[in-house]
Amino acid sequence: MKVVCAYLLACLGGNSSPSADELEKILGSVGIEADEGRLQLFMDQIAGKSIEEVIASGRGKLASVPSGGGGGVAVSAAPSSCRGAAAEPAKEENKVEAKEESDDDMGFSLFD
């Protein structure tokens, strides 16, 4: 990922075809030592391609990656005759929770 970021920075800086040495300089400027194996693999895979082609290819691959989410259940509002009855148990639950919270200190505080 670091090599890809350095490549994109070089492209944004106006260099449409940065070399491995230039990428090493970019990474070195922020204190990162480039892994020669990964750098060479990246340079071999990107050889002869423009940045626009690489981005278009990546977008096509990302389209097939599941991004989570989805599968949510839609809940409709309850009929008006049931709304009042549903609200009352919620109030009782809140009272029970408040009582439980007061027992957390077990009769003493941290600074006693």
Side-chain angles (χ1 to χ4, degrees), residues 16 28 35 53 81 101-102 104 108:
S16 62
D35 179 12
E53 292 172 330
S81 62
E101 290 176 9
S102 66
D104 287 342
F108 60 91

Side-chain angles (χ1 to χ4, degrees), residues 1-110:
M1 223 33 200
K2 297 171 190 173
V3 175
V4 174
C5 292
Y7 186 84
L8 290 173
L9 282 171
C11 289
L12 284 172
N15 187 350
S16 62
S17 181
S19 67
D21 291 334
E22 292 169 333
L23 297 181
E24 285 181 11
K25 286 181 186 177
I26 292 171
L27 292 171
S29 70
V30 292
I32 298 172
E33 187 175 328
D35 179 12
E36 291 294 326
R38 289 185 182 199
L39 182 60
Q40 191 57 46
L41 176 65
F42 176 78
M43 294 305 291
D44 290 343
Q45 290 179 346
I46 201 130
K49 298 178 184 176
S50 70
I51 190 66
E52 290 83 13
E53 292 172 330
V54 174
I55 291 174
S57 172
R59 282 189 184 179
K61 291 178 183 178
L62 283 176
S64 65
V65 175
S67 60
V73 178
V75 178
S76 63
S80 62
S81 62
C82 295
R83 288 185 186 167
E88 288 180 28
K91 291 179 184 177
E92 291 175 16
E93 290 177 17
N94 288 339
K95 291 178 184 177
V96 171
E97 290 177 15
K99 186 175 182 180
E100 290 175 6
E101 290 176 9
S102 66
D103 294 339
D104 287 342
D105 65 357
M106 297 188 305
F108 60 91
S109 73
L110 181 63

